[in-house]
Amino acid sequence: MLIKLTAILPVLLLLLGGCSDLAHEDTSVNPIEEVTVFRQEDKLYASVRLRSDYLDAVFKETESGEPVLAYYRFDFYRHQDHFFDKLLGHAVVQRRLRLRLITQRFEMMKLPKNELQHTADENEAMSFLGAPRYVLLGTDIPLSADERYYLSVGFTLEHQGMSWVLGVLKRWLTLTPPIIYTKIVWYEDR
């Protein structure tokens, strides 16, 4: 039994190694170009924009027809000197993009609501994936002029060409977690 497992394991690693381009991404450059946090009436919103050269590389990867999933995590904190920072607002945005090869139209899906839109315009599709705007962080968040606040944004991109099970198995066997990029901006009341 052990001999069979040791014979199958290298073959499985070779097969899984060629399924994703995540290992080839450059981790030294953060694709998050701009993050803003702003208030409108009693609601607090955030927006993020990725670098255009990063989105150009993602666009080339979508030409194969395999979907990509962008995952954004927004956390708004009150900074505290002597305690842990207090979380005041939180939001998660997931955007799935896929180019349908037959129709040459992009399928844009907002998860988890499964809101689906289609477009043939590549700029609109890349804006959908790489520039979420008006992300609601919360309502009636108490902001004092005496306190300091900041927004932390985490971003990761996942290629969904393989099944979820094979993707997790690849991460376990190769010990390569998904790359998470972060950016922090301080809140300034305007």
Side-chain angles (χ1 to χ4, degrees):
M1 178 70 176
L2 186 60
I3 295 172
K4 289 181 183 179
L5 184 60
T6 56
I8 293 174
L9 190 59
V11 173
L12 186 60
L13 285 174
L14 284 174
L15 290 174
L16 291 176
C19 293
S20 175
D21 293 332
L22 286 177
H24 304 294
E25 290 185 14
D26 185 8
T27 60
S28 63
V29 180
N30 191 342
I32 302 174
E33 183 172 8
E34 181 183 356
V35 174
T36 56
V37 57
F38 55 94
R39 180 187 281 259
Q40 284 187 346
E41 298 174 2
D42 65 338
K43 297 178 181 174
L44 192 65
Y45 292 97
S47 65
V48 64
R49 184 168 47 93
L50 300 180
R51 288 191 353 258
S52 59
D53 59 335
Y54 181 80
L55 289 175
D56 290 343
V58 171
F59 174 72
K60 289 179 183 174
E61 293 174 5
T62 62
E63 291 176 347
S64 67
E66 292 183 359
V68 293
L69 177 70
Y71 179 87
Y72 298 90
R73 179 184 172 99
F74 298 85
D75 294 316
F76 186 72
Y77 292 97
R78 180 177 69 215
H79 177 69
Q80 302 182 137
D81 290 330
H82 304 293
F83 298 104
F84 294 110
D85 294 341
K86 183 174 181 181
L87 181 66
L88 299 176
H90 170 74
V92 171
V93 173
Q94 295 180 53
R95 304 274 173 99
R96 184 177 184 269
L97 183 70
R98 180 178 185 179
L99 176 64
R100 292 293 183 173
L101 299 177
I102 294 174
T103 60
Q104 288 298 304
R105 295 184 65 190
F106 287 95
E107 180 181 275
M108 306 178 298
M109 183 179 292
K110 291 181 184 179
L111 299 170
K113 296 179 182 179
N114 292 337
E115 295 175 6
L116 184 63
Q117 299 173 345
H118 292 88
T119 185
D121 184 13
E122 68 183 59
N123 291 328
E124 182 181 350
M126 290 297 110
S127 178
F128 169 81
L129 186 74
R133 296 176 292 164
Y134 291 97
V135 176
L136 181 64
L137 297 174
T139 57
D140 296 325
I141 295 177
L143 299 176
S144 169
D146 300 334
E147 302 285 343
R148 295 184 68 198
Y149 305 92
Y150 66 92
L151 176 68
S152 173
V153 176
F155 164 74
T156 187
L157 186 76
E158 180 180 332
H159 300 268
Q160 295 190 312
M162 65 175 81
S163 73
W164 179 83
V165 174
L166 288 177
V168 171
L169 185 60
K170 177 186 182 283
R171 286 190 195 129
W172 283 354
L173 293 175
T174 60
L175 299 175
T176 55
I179 300 168
I180 301 173
Y181 300 98
T182 58
K183 189 163 190 167
I184 295 174
V185 293
W186 290 93
Y187 174 72
E188 295 177 8
D189 197 9
R190 298 175 188 142

